[in-house]
């Protein structure tokens, strides 16, 4: 049973470009969470999604960030017009309802 | 407010010895789950151990065990017979249901196992 998959593992963007991060949950998992981790810091919750629904986006910046989890395909975290402060590791986790989260390997975003 | 506090930013332990990482949390919920995750230098987040709050018995997973004190809202992790591969950041977390499922993470403890 494949674990949570994230791609790309490393992403380099110039300021003003768009970043798209993908997350494929574990088989059978219908819940996806996105977190951001700055260097030497803990995980900060961003958004919680179920298929075709955003359940909780209280941790998402109001501008430039969006997330989706379509009926088919991976969950996407999109960051428009990236700035240097967006440089971080972005982790996706998936779970069954009311169950343990399993994490992907993360995408390290570097904004030049 | 729901919070998790890990008061030890860094710790070290000699190989083969035992170390305990502390974690306290605050919630008004009565039903929740507690977790310890490990993040080695590869940065992959790995589940170490999980505890249901309604269970009095402390969870164990091989060399890893917890001391869960519900009244004190304390959830410490004990690592026995420490190995070099245990070197990592350790995050304490809990999950509650408050309209939606929420995970709250602590800021982590960096553990270094010394040869």
């Amino acid at each position: 049973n494949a674990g949570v998959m994230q791609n790309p593992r490393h992403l380099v963007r110039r300021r003003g470009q768009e970043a798209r991060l993908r997350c494929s949950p574990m088989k059978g998992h219908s819940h996806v969470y996105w977190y951001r981790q700055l260097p030497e810091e803990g995980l900060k919750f961003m958004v919680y999604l179920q298929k075709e629904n955003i359940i909780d986006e209280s941790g998402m910046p109001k501008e430039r960030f969006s997330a989706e989890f379509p009926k088919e395909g991976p969950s996407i975290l999109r960051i428009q017009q990236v700035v240097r402060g967006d440089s971080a590791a972005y982790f996706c986790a998936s779970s069954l309802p009311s169950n343990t989260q399993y994490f992907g390997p993360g995408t390290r975003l570097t904004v030049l | 407010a729901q919070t998790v506090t890990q008061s030890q930013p860094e710790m070290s332990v000699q190989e083969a010895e035992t170390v305990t990482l502390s974690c306290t949390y605050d919630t008004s919920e009565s039903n929740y789950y507690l977790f310890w995750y490990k993040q080695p230098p590869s940065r992959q987040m790995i589940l170490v151990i999980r505890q249901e709050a309604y269970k009095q018995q402390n969870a164990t997973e091989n060399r890893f065990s917890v001391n869960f004190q519900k009244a004190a809202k304390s959830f410490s992790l004990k690592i026995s017979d420490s190995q070099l591969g245990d070197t990592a950041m350790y995050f304490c977390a809990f999950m509650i249901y408050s309209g939606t499922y929420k995970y709250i993470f602590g800021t982590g403890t960096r553990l270094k196992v010394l040869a």
Side-chain angles (χ1 to χ4, degrees):
Chain A
N1 188 11
V4 179
M5 310 287 284
Q6 287 188 252
N7 68 80
R9 294 292 306 277
H10 300 274
L11 183 61
V12 179
R13 285 289 178 266
R14 296 193 179 278
R15 281 179 296 171
Q17 291 184 321
E18 178 179 285
R20 279 186 166 233
L21 288 62
R22 294 176 188 77
C23 169
S24 297
M26 286 180 71
K27 188 176 181 179
H29 285 190
S30 56
H31 296 227
V32 166
Y33 304 76
W34 285 94
Y35 294 87
R36 176 162 63 179
Q37 185 180 36
L38 295 171
E40 305 302 316
E41 292 190 11
L43 293 170
K44 296 292 186 191
F45 167 78
M46 299 182 74
V47 63
Y48 163 33
L49 309 106
Q50 295 178 23
K51 287 280 187 182
E52 300 184 281
N53 281 309
I54 296 175
I55 306 302
D56 181 353
E57 57 182 347
S58 58
M60 285 273 273
K62 293 286 185 274
E63 297 178 351
R64 302 189 297 108
F65 286 72
S66 63
E68 62 177 9
F69 188 16
K71 188 176 179 182
E72 300 289 339
S75 175
I76 306 286
L77 178 67
R78 182 200 292 180
I79 312 171
Q80 295 178 301
Q81 299 175 338
V82 295
V83 300
R84 287 219 174 106
D86 297 333
S87 295
Y90 291 83
F91 288 91
C92 165
S94 74
S95 75
L96 296 168
S98 70
N99 213 314
T100 305
Q101 290 189 359
Y102 293 91
F103 283 82
T107 293
R108 188 184 298 273
L109 173 65
T110 301
V111 180
L112 302 177
Chain B
Q2 328 278 1
T3 58
V4 176
T5 301
Q6 294 181 249
S7 58
Q8 304 151 314
E10 293 188 2
M11 295 187 72
S12 61
V13 62
Q14 289 294 137
E15 196 176 6
E17 293 189 348
T18 295
V19 65
T20 298
L21 282 58
S22 67
C23 172
T24 58
Y25 58 93
D26 190 20
T27 180
S28 56
E29 302 290 330
S30 57
N31 292 319
Y32 49 88
Y33 293 83
L34 294 154
F35 306 87
W36 279 96
Y37 285 89
K38 165 185 175 181
Q39 188 178 43
S42 67
R43 304 209 72 175
Q44 171 78 56
M45 290 285 287
I46 301 165
L47 176 68
V48 174
I49 200 163
R50 156 187 158 134
Q51 172 85 41
E52 291 89 341
Y54 62 86
K55 287 188 178 178
Q56 292 186 340
Q57 186 172 5
N58 289 323
T60 62
E61 284 288 343
N62 301 314
R63 297 182 297 106
F64 298 88
S65 62
V66 298
N67 183 5
F68 174 44
Q69 303 288 330
K70 191 171 184 178
K73 295 181 180 175
S74 170
F75 183 60
S76 60
L77 175 70
K78 185 170 85 170
I79 306 174
S80 304
D81 186 24
S82 297
Q83 300 176 359
L84 296 177
D86 296 333
T87 293
M89 281 287 284
Y90 287 81
F91 292 98
C92 178
F94 74 89
M95 181 188 79
I96 58 167
Y97 182 79
S98 179
T100 67
Y101 294 106
K102 284 186 178 291
Y103 268 72
I104 313 296
F105 282 84
T107 52
T109 295
R110 184 179 302 279
L111 176 68
K112 189 169 185 179
V113 179
L114 306 171

